[in-house]
Amino acid sequence: MTEHLPTRVLGSTEHGTALTVSALGLGCMGMSEFYGTGDEQESLATIAAFLDAGGTFLDTADMYGPFTNEQLVGRAIASRRDDVVLATKFGNERRADGTRRVNGTPDYVRSACDASLQRLGVDHVDLYYQHRVDPSVPVEETWGAMAELVTAGKVRHLGISEAAPDTIRRAHGTHPVTAVQTEWSLWTRDVEENGVLATVRELGIGFVPYSPLGRGFLSGAIRSVDDLADDDFRRANPRFQGENFQRNLELVDEVRALAADRGVSAGQVALAWLLAQGGDVVPIPGTKRRTYLEENLAAVQVRLGADDLARLDAVLPVGASAGDRYPDMSTVHR
């Protein structure tokens, strides 16, 4: 296993939002859903190995599973709560009839938090995200209820995911935001040009990139859509389909070439690139196996020079990837 993980700080002391976390987090979503069949015992062992390596930052959400991922994480940390900076999310409501909706009503905020605390088996969450922005509810109302959770001691810090710059400002004006979580990687660089990254840096907010390995694509291990399980949600993702897949494969091969020159893996290059974007950036690569975890954690030891960064910018500039991030982009960047 890699040397003990260094730490980074999300948020700012000026706003009282500073939250110290490991420089890499662990995204737990895929342990329960979306990326094929899970293995609970291996998932529990992976979380334990992450904590043993000095990792502290675990990321889950109520909608993963749905609900079962929080229960899994709760079991994993039951005897180690003090070692963990625990992040979960609300707002993507999955109902009993199988339908989904984005819900930011104050009553739902309160009930969702209580339900998450029960599933996780904890008395507080360290970082509570609004998972998606509800266009029918002013963000000030949602964040007013979230601020009440902080006052009640149920939540320590607040975050928001996939929000537009103006929404981030309005949320921050209601209660200081510690972290913004949005997709960011070498093949998803929208935040560099749509104002999100500039806004969080202006306001002293930390940035938590999810899917930092491009949903596994940047690892270089996926060479065909047939490499994915039949129930893997990536099969319906525009970037994994047809001509888009082939174009994106060409981009990944450029990353693999640089990685080969450096004697590291393509995934480690992708993570090292994000870590080099600033000390306020804490990627949360997801994995459900210890083998991949060890590879990911070793990325903190990879130092990309100016020539490496320039080479990556040249072959994977903003907008280089083919295809939308999701089949339906209507719920992001509101």
Side-chain angles (χ1 to χ4, degrees), residues 179-191:
V180 166
Q181 183 177 136
T182 291
E183 187 172 354
W184 188 19
S185 70
L186 274 168
W187 83 331
T188 299
R189 299 184 60 176
D190 317 34
V191 299

Side-chain angles (χ1 to χ4, degrees), residues 208-260:
V208 178
Y210 74 83
S211 294
L213 295 174
R215 308 187 191 284
F217 208 97
L218 290 169
S219 70
I222 302 171
R223 308 303 296 173
S224 163
V225 72
D226 294 329
D227 292 333
L228 305 177
D230 290 342
D231 59 349
D232 193 308
F233 93 107
R234 288 172 290 186
R235 284 180 172 268
N237 187 295
R239 291 189 177 179
F240 286 79
Q241 296 177 336
E243 293 181 1
N244 289 345
F245 186 97
Q246 294 307 313
R247 169 57 184 153
N248 291 328
L249 203 58
E250 294 171 7
L251 298 176
V252 170
D253 284 343
E254 297 284 354
V255 180
R256 293 177 72 200
L258 186 150

Side-chain angles (χ1 to χ4, degrees), residues 6-261:
T7 60
R8 292 189 167 190
V9 177
L10 299 171
S12 70
T13 53
E14 178 184 351
H15 297 125
T17 58
L19 179 62
T20 300
V21 299
S22 50
L24 283 178
L26 176 60
C28 299
M29 179 186 78
M31 296 176 179
S32 300
E33 196 180 13
F34 301 110
Y35 290 94
T37 304
D39 179 335
E40 179 169 325
Q41 290 309 307
E42 180 61 21
S43 293
L44 291 171
T46 299
I47 293 173
F50 174 72
L51 299 177
D52 289 344
T56 62
F57 193 30
L58 295 178
D59 183 271
T60 182
D62 57 5
M63 67 90 66
Y64 301 158
F67 314 125
T68 54
N69 195 244
E70 287 186 326
Q71 294 167 343
L72 172 71
V73 171
R75 287 192 292 276
I77 68 172
S79 63
R80 308 183 66 169
R81 178 65 182 95
D82 292 343
D83 298 336
V84 175
V85 178
L86 182 59
T88 193
K89 316 177 196 71
F90 76 93
N92 271 326
E93 184 183 9
R94 296 174 70 171
R95 294 177 286 192
D97 62 1
T99 61
R100 306 185 187 192
R101 67 168 177 165
V102 176
N103 191 342
T105 60
D107 283 346
Y108 184 70
V109 173
R110 300 180 191 103
S111 64
C113 181
D114 287 343
S116 287
L117 291 174
Q118 183 176 25
R119 284 188 291 267
L120 290 160
V122 299
D123 63 5
H124 73 277
V125 169
D126 299 294
L127 178 58
Y128 199 45
Y129 290 103
Q130 182 178 9
H131 204 166
R132 290 292 187 272
V133 177
D134 185 344
S136 67
V137 179
V139 72
E140 291 84 355
E141 290 186 21
T142 303
W143 273 66
M146 293 168 69
E148 292 173 6
L149 298 175
V150 177
T151 301
K154 296 180 179 182
V155 171
R156 299 282 171 82
H157 297 265
L158 300 181
I160 195 166
S161 177
E162 290 286 1
D166 182 61
T167 305
I168 295 168
R169 290 182 186 280
R170 289 166 57 196
H172 191 67
T174 305
H175 185 283
V177 180
T178 293
V180 166
Q181 183 177 136
T182 291
E183 187 172 354
W184 188 19
S185 70
L186 274 168
W187 83 331
T188 299
R189 299 184 60 176
D190 317 34
V191 299
E192 298 172 48
E193 64 175 7
N194 63 14
V196 170
L197 186 60
T199 299
V200 300
R201 288 191 160 152
E202 176 192 335
L203 298 176
I205 299 169
F207 199 105
V208 178
Y210 74 83
S211 294
L213 295 174
R215 308 187 191 284
F217 208 97
L218 290 169
S219 70
I222 302 171
R223 308 303 296 173
S224 163
V225 72
D226 294 329
D227 292 333
L228 305 177
D230 290 342
D231 59 349
D232 193 308
F233 93 107
R234 288 172 290 186
R235 284 180 172 268
N237 187 295
R239 291 189 177 179
F240 286 79
Q241 296 177 336
E243 293 181 1
N244 289 345
F245 186 97
Q246 294 307 313
R247 169 57 184 153
N248 291 328
L249 203 58
E250 294 171 7
L251 298 176
V252 170
D253 284 343
E254 297 284 354
V255 180
R256 293 177 72 200
L258 186 150
D261 291 344

